[in-house]
Amino acid sequence: MYLHYQLMKTLQDERLRAAARDHLAAEARRARTAGRDHAAARGVTAGADEMAGVQLADMKEQVPALRMIGLHKAFRETVAVDHVDLTVPSGSFFGLVGPNGAGKTTALLMAVGLLRPDAGRSEVLGVDVQADPMRARQLMGVLPDGLAMPERLTGRELLTLIGEMRDLDPDVIAQRTRDLLEVMGLAGAERMLIVDYSAGMRKKIGLATALLHAPRLLVLDEPFEAVDPVSAATLRAILTGFVANGGSVVLSSHVMALVEQLCDTVAIMALGVVAASGPLDEVRDGRSLEETFMRLANAEVSDAQGLSWLSP
């Protein structure tokens, strides 16, 4: 648990430093635009360090972790996502729930830039994903459902490759890889190829690739599907620690009980639209999340009368 805390603390510190760098760069640009001399611009940079804590706290409250603005996608005659508007507050553990075919995966793929929308746009911490995809990808870690991986690499080799592709320093890659493999419980499988990984191991190494570059937002599509209880407990501990240390998580699932256990904010999707969103207790309104979903989606439970031949 100490190593887990240290890893999450390191990721938090690096997120804060990245946010501070962004803020200072913006201040310097504004200084130059206003015609200040270079000395004044340097003064802004030097003085900003003392104000970083307050400024970053304000940024956290004002800038959503993720915004979907009119996202729309149709596949021929089928509308998968129908002009969805959705805001994920910074610092939240956000659950996106709904049945299979509700449009959750399509919406998330568009939101993170892996699928081009027919209309609308998305923002990650104020960065337009379509207009500035490289910067947006630096801010988020993504674990799509059914993520394909290089099967003939070990977990360590995969993380090293991802780190090199993200142009991280070799020493940073080595340190974070060691930490992540240890926290994920994969250090003992260091020589095992990914092709031989179990479903739970694949989910954990996939989450490790999403965390490697110290993102500020995690977007995870069905991260607990087909995961054994031990692996699921590890994933829950890592994700709750990530949020507790200042990160934001968006988790898609059709398992309502899991979302109720983990998330503080939720959205319910059905038939490509958002039926409700907000703090968990407000959306539930005294019911279970599943009961709320069934009511909002006008869902009907089929009986087994047509399967009388199953009776002994």
Side-chain angles (χ1 to χ4, degrees):
M1 290 306 294
Y2 175 74
L3 181 59
H4 170 250
Y5 170 79
Q6 288 295 102
L7 174 60
M8 292 299 111
K9 184 68 168 61
T10 299
L11 293 175
Q12 179 194 35
D13 291 343
E14 297 204 16
R15 288 193 300 270
L16 293 176
R17 284 197 293 271
R21 286 195 298 270
D22 293 344
H23 175 77
L24 298 181
E27 286 293 312
R29 285 195 298 271
R30 282 193 286 269
R32 289 193 294 271
T33 302
R36 301 178 192 171
D37 58 23
H38 291 293
R42 286 195 300 270
V44 169
T45 300
D49 285 337
E50 299 178 3
M51 303 171 62
V54 174
Q55 290 166 339
L56 292 176
D58 291 342
M59 288 166 60
K60 179 177 178 179
E61 293 182 1
Q62 296 171 3
V63 181
L66 179 67
R67 286 184 68 205
M68 304 181 195
I69 307 163
L71 284 181
H72 182 83
K73 188 69 178 180
F75 299 97
R76 295 189 178 183
E77 303 300 320
T78 302
V79 176
V81 176
D82 191 2
H83 297 96
V84 163
D85 294 306
L86 190 63
T87 298
V88 176
S90 284
S92 65
F93 202 135
F94 192 97
L96 182 61
V97 302
N100 293 328
K104 305 184 302 297
T105 293
T106 302
L108 290 181
L109 289 175
M110 290 190 291
V112 301
L114 293 178
L115 179 65
R116 185 180 296 276
D118 296 335
R121 62 189 181 89
S122 59
E123 295 177 353
V124 173
L125 291 156
V127 177
D128 190 301
V129 174
Q130 285 72 38
D132 193 357
M134 295 303 293
R135 177 57 185 149
R137 288 168 188 166
Q138 291 173 352
L139 295 170
M140 62 181 166
V142 180
L143 179 59
D145 187 24
L147 174 66
M149 298 181 189
E151 301 284 340
R152 307 307 298 182
L153 297 181
T154 66
R156 180 177 296 278
E157 290 169 341
L158 174 60
L159 291 174
T160 301
L161 174 63
I162 295 297
E164 291 173 347
M165 292 174 64
R166 288 191 173 275
D167 200 28
L168 298 178
D169 181 89
D171 291 338
V172 172
I173 296 173
Q175 181 62 54
R176 292 182 185 176
T177 296
R178 285 193 297 270
D179 291 346
L180 286 165
L181 289 176
E182 183 68 31
V183 169
M184 299 290 177
L186 297 174
E190 185 171 337
R191 297 179 183 272
M192 184 183 294
L193 298 178
I194 292 173
V195 69
D196 297 321
Y197 274 19
S198 67
M201 294 170 71
R202 284 174 175 267
K203 291 290 186 179
K204 288 192 286 188
I205 198 65
L207 180 58
T209 65
L211 285 168
L212 184 67
H213 62 292
R216 296 168 59 190
L217 167 68
L218 286 174
V219 180
L220 314 173
D221 192 4
E222 299 289 356
F224 293 93
E225 190 171 36
V227 174
D228 65 88
V230 175
S231 295
T234 300
L235 293 177
R236 284 196 298 271
I238 292 169
L239 295 178
T240 54
F242 180 80
V243 173
N245 283 282
S248 306
V249 172
V250 178
L251 180 148
S252 167
S253 179
H254 56 264
V255 182
M256 308 291 174
L258 173 68
V259 173
E260 284 186 293
Q261 181 183 15
L262 289 175
C263 299
D264 51 64
T265 315
V266 298
I268 297 174
M269 282 194 72
L271 301 176
V273 300
V274 175
S277 66
L280 175 63
D281 289 337
E282 290 184 13
V283 171
R284 288 188 302 190
D285 192 24
R287 305 177 179 86
S288 71
L289 190 59
E290 184 173 4
E291 291 172 331
T292 302
F293 166 76
M294 298 291 283
R295 178 176 58 85
L296 291 174
N298 293 319
E300 296 183 0
V301 179
S302 176
D303 57 33
Q305 291 182 2
L307 300 178
S308 58
W309 48 270
L310 285 176
S311 301

